[in-house]
Amino acid sequence: EDKVVQSPLSLVVHEGDTVTLNCSYEVTNFRSLLWYKQEKKAPTFLFMLTSSGIEKKSGRLSSILDKKELFSILNITATQTGDSAIYLCAVIAGANSKLTFGKGITLSVRP
Amino acid sequence: IAGITQAPTSQILAAGRRMTLRCTQDMRHNAMYWYRQDLGLGLRLIHYSNTAGTTGKGEVPDGYSVSRANTDDFPLTLASAVPSQTSVYFCASRDQDRGEEAFFGQGTRLTVV
């Protein structure tokens, strides 16, 4: 059974801090890893990672994948209160390309 | 507007009743998914479909059924609702061939009483 484990499950930081969110996985026939941000309703897409060692970057957010050690990190620098959300990691794997999510990380950024 | 639409947005349902949650996408995506989201448990896959005419079971399929008669529609049916099926349900779709990310509907909040 495919597994995606995120850590920590929750954290509280202050504005301006830098945070690192972790995602590890155990799957058969890995295809890609995705990060989503979820605020009030539907998850919104952040990054898709397919190759090891290539950083994806968008503003203050960046992410990288390590296919040898089977994990990914999502970094957020200079956090803002608007970064408060649930961050979801998902893996596409297997012949059926199933999309399996971790439990999510709840990030709270205090003013 | 292109995208993925779910209906209803919310529903209160008596236990034992049958309910179908609707999901329609107009992006011609071949893969579609149904998830339920519960506090502390994240998004758990109920059923999925890789192409019209085929479906597969996810992590928590019991009590749910799906069909994929065409590319656009992927309804989720609760044959006889129970209170443990109270949850927020998300439908998603993606273009598997192009290796794109999954797009989500806005969710259906279902309460079974």
Side-chain angles (χ1 to χ4, degrees), chain A:
Chain A
E1 183 179 322
D2 295 342
K3 289 183 182 179
V4 179
V5 178
Q6 294 187 248
S7 64
L9 290 182
S10 66
L11 72 163
V12 179
V13 301
H14 289 96
E15 273 192 316
D17 289 349
T18 294
V19 297
T20 298
L21 310 181
N22 302 293
C23 177
S24 62
Y25 60 90
E26 292 180 34
V27 301
T28 301
N29 193 11
F30 171 90
R31 294 179 182 273
S32 55
L33 184 145
L34 300 91
W35 284 97
Y36 286 83
K37 178 182 181 181
Q38 185 179 26
E39 295 175 269
K40 296 292 184 184
K41 290 199 172 180
T44 55
F45 173 73
L46 293 175
F47 299 111
M48 174 182 268
L49 302 147
T50 307
S51 302
S52 272
I54 299 176
E55 185 182 56
K56 293 283 185 85
K57 195 170 174 64
S58 176
R60 297 176 293 103
L61 277 66
S62 63
S63 184
I64 197 161
L65 173 68
D66 186 327
K67 290 170 72 173
K68 181 179 178 184
E69 300 298 330
L70 309 182
F71 77 92
S72 173
I73 59 172
L74 174 68
N75 279 320
I76 308 175
T77 59
T79 52
Q80 302 171 357
T81 54
D83 294 327
S84 296
I86 298 173
Y87 289 85
L88 297 162
C89 172
V91 173
I92 299 172
N96 290 324
S97 293
K98 279 168 62 175
L99 181 58
T100 302
F101 281 82
K103 293 184 177 181
I105 297 170
T106 301
L107 173 65
S108 298
V109 182
R110 301 280 168 82

Side-chain angles (χ1 to χ4, degrees), chain B residues 1-5 24-27:
Chain B
I1 299 175
I4 182 166
T5 304
T24 300
Q25 52 99 4
D26 62 2
M27 297 174 283

